[in-house]
Amino acid sequence: MTNKTKLVRAGVTGVTGIVSAGAVAVGIVALVTLPIPGFVGTPPALSIAPVPAVQQRVCPGPLVDVLSQGTADITFISNGQPEYAQASSEDNFDNSWLNAPDNQSGVVYGAPQVISVPPAASAEQAPLLAGNQEQLLATESLSGLAAAACTEPANDLWLVGGSTEIGRTTLVMLANPTDVTATVTLEVFTENGYVDATNTEGIIVEPGEQRIVSLAGYAPDVYSPVVRVLSNGGQVLASLQQSVTRTLVPSGVEWVVPGAGLATQQIITGVFVTGQADHERSEIGDVISDLDPGIRVVAPGDKDSKVTVTLLSSTGEKTEYSAQLKAKKAVQLPLTGIADGTYTVIVTSEQPIAAGVRTVQDSLTDAAAAPGTPITGGDFAWMSSSSFLTDQILIPVPQGTAPTVTFYNPGKADSEVTLSAQGQKDIVLSVKKGQMVTTPLLAATNYTVTGAQGLLGGLSFSGPGLGSAIALNPANVLGSPITVYPR
């Protein structure tokens, strides 16, 4: 009896196992063949707007001459004062100056200017703030027109320009507007490759101070330097002052200010070209002479890269060519196949690059000079790569020669930009997709720009034997709202 019971139980268990297996199989078939109800959930999202903070911009300050004291120490002295132009959406912006221990001209005449504006008490967005400077010189040591934007300090900046060949002086200007000591490291790339030097590390810039060092002390006798400025601690504004002297004749001076960060595409807009017929060349090779315009490019990574250069004119015509870059070696590519005019230069690469453009303004003669214009040995302009603009920006135009603004639209839809100035009729520009437009502006006038979202812009000054340019900067991007998706 007991044995039979066991057998029956065993049989029931076996049948149950078979039924269970069959049920699983049916379930699997059902999962495959029967539609499963869809559930679409919307994740919770929260838009967070940063508390509006004090806005701050740092101007490079006056151009300086080099003074030698004895055989060891080198100091500097200001050569005049720049013309500043500043604008803000608030009326209560403030001007101050940094200490400049390397400059013998004193605080007011020898130091960079800092402009700042606090937000209004009930403001939900940071105020708009912008500044530009311009300086025209014609002395025994420096001559030319130099313009620059007043920009936000940062911890990682790229400067594309300068030269330390004989007759060329390039100074690195480091301004620290913060309350924290900045320890600065310079990474220098040249036509010969990366400069591996221990003395490029540990430049101390105290709070509220500007330091000046000669680039020749880190990379002597090079014609194509690109400088990366890394700051640990306080943020800095870094810029280069380059001047040229040919056979004892001063032949141009210019500021080189930070461009956009490393990217596989760099865009430089508002590039004005004059006397191009004298500089035309058929070969796509390295431009060695600074008497010729050029596009300086470096791929600072470990891989070589192919680059494509597109030259877009204000009439929509395009000129393209390709070149090969060696890793860590700066090269200067030509502006070729184009006539005089204003252009947007687009450099597209397989690897991240930094890029800038140099144009050349030929020397003046007495017959070519307008009344009151100083006779010089010519001039040159360095144009930094541009950043994408926000919808609304300010353009304070300093007192300069023939100011002209350029907008380039890389997007897929047309844009309309409006420039407004007090007492002036609005300027309305239609910027078609993939195209650029230019228009003259009034000197010593502040413009409010709307409709610039996603565009790139530049402000240029040019005349016989003179030239300089400024890349337009977006408003405070870090103050824009962000969307958070909590888990």
Side-chain angles (χ1 to χ4, degrees):
M1 185 69 178
T2 303
N3 291 338
K4 289 182 180 179
T5 304
K6 290 181 179 180
L7 289 173
V8 171
R9 288 176 178 171
V12 173
T13 304
V15 172
T16 305
I18 294 171
V19 173
S20 300
V24 171
V26 172
I28 293 173
V29 173
L31 285 172
V32 174
T33 59
L34 296 179
I36 299 176
F39 296 94
V40 179
T42 302
L46 181 64
S47 179
I48 299 178
V51 176
V54 174
Q55 294 299 293
Q56 186 183 74
R57 304 293 184 267
V58 184
C59 310
L63 298 167
V64 301
D65 269 332
V66 179
L67 294 178
S68 295
Q69 294 182 348
T71 58
D73 296 331
I74 298 178
T75 58
F76 308 89
I77 187 170
S78 299
N79 205 322
Q81 270 284 84
E83 177 82 20
Y84 292 101
Q86 303 161 354
S88 174
S89 57
E90 301 290 334
D91 294 330
N92 58 334
F93 65 90
D94 180 58
N95 293 332
S96 60
W97 285 264
L98 301 179
N99 294 318
D102 298 319
N103 191 320
Q104 301 301 301
S105 299
V107 174
V108 175
Y109 293 102
Q113 190 175 85
V114 180
I115 55 177
S116 58
V117 59
S122 58
E124 297 182 355
Q125 293 183 343
L128 296 176
L129 179 65
N132 293 311
Q133 67 169 64
E134 174 268 336
Q135 190 170 359
L136 176 63
L137 287 180
T139 70
E140 294 181 355
S141 55
L142 295 175
S143 73
L145 178 67
C150 307
T151 59
E152 295 180 83
N155 294 108
D156 189 354
L157 300 165
W158 287 86
L159 301 168
V160 182
S163 171
T164 61
E165 290 188 302
I166 294 176
R168 283 76 180 157
T169 301
T170 299
L171 306 176
V172 184
M173 325 290 273
L174 303 169
N176 176 9
T178 74
D179 297 326
V180 181
T181 299
T183 303
V184 175
T185 297
L186 305 181
E187 293 183 353
V188 185
F189 302 83
T190 74
E191 65 273 15
N192 303 316
Y194 176 68
V195 176
D196 189 6
T198 57
N199 64 341
T200 59
E201 302 177 359
I203 303 172
I204 303 299
V205 187
E206 298 294 344
E209 185 177 273
Q210 181 205 51
R211 296 303 309 272
I212 307 174
V213 297
S214 173
L215 185 60
Y218 305 94
D221 198 26
V222 297
Y223 63 81
S224 190
V226 175
V227 182
R228 183 186 189 186
V229 179
L230 295 167
S231 173
N232 185 23
Q235 294 181 320
V236 299
L237 170 66
S239 53
L240 303 178
Q241 177 192 308
Q242 184 193 353
S243 58
V244 174
T245 301
R246 296 187 177 95
T247 59
L248 302 181
V249 177
S251 304
V253 64
E254 180 65 307
W255 287 109
V256 180
V257 297
L262 288 184
T264 54
Q265 187 177 76
Q266 298 288 353
I267 302 174
I268 304 99
T269 193
V271 176
F272 57 95
V273 178
T274 59
Q276 181 63 16
D278 297 330
H279 305 291
E280 182 60 35
R281 50 190 290 171
S282 57
E283 73 278 8
I284 307 301
D286 197 10
V287 178
I288 297 176
S289 172
D290 59 11
L291 286 170
D292 293 322
I295 307 165
R296 186 173 299 180
V297 189
V298 67
D302 296 325
K303 295 182 179 180
D304 297 349
S305 182
K306 177 184 176 181
V307 295
T308 299
V309 175
T310 303
L311 309 176
L312 174 67
S313 74
S314 56
T315 60
E317 298 176 352
K318 287 184 178 181
T319 301
E320 286 192 352
Y321 66 85
S322 296
Q324 197 71 23
L325 298 184
K326 293 290 186 181
K328 300 184 186 299
K329 289 190 175 183
V331 66
Q332 293 187 142
L333 303 172
L335 290 170
T336 185
I338 59 175
D340 288 0
T342 303
Y343 292 83
T344 293
V345 177
I346 306 167
V347 186
T348 306
S349 173
E350 299 169 334
Q351 302 295 326
I353 56 171
V357 174
R358 179 189 66 232
T359 61
V360 178
Q361 291 71 52
D362 292 333
S363 60
L364 287 175
T365 63
D366 291 307
T373 303
I375 306 300
T376 72
D379 202 5
F380 61 95
W382 275 109
M383 302 167 197
S384 303
S385 57
S386 305
S387 299
F388 293 100
L389 299 175
T390 45
D391 179 71
Q392 187 175 21
I393 63 170
L394 302 176
I395 306 179
V397 182
Q399 187 69 48
T401 305
T404 301
V405 70
T406 301
F407 291 101
Y408 166 64
N409 182 1
K412 297 182 179 180
D414 297 346
S415 295
E416 185 175 273
V417 178
T418 302
L419 295 90
S420 304
Q422 186 174 5
Q424 303 294 326
K425 183 180 179 180
D426 286 356
I427 301 172
V428 180
L429 302 174
S430 177
V431 193
K432 297 187 179 299
K433 59 182 179 181
Q435 300 297 318
M436 58 175 282
V437 297
T438 65
T439 188
L441 299 180
L442 295 176
T445 303
N446 293 339
Y447 290 87
T448 298
V449 181
T450 56
Q453 182 72 42
L455 305 183
L456 300 104
L459 178 65
S460 60
F461 304 87
S462 63
L466 297 170
S468 191
I470 296 170
L472 299 183
N473 291 312
N476 178 33
V477 178
L478 295 179
S480 303
I482 59 174
T483 301
V484 177
Y485 297 94
R487 292 184 176 181

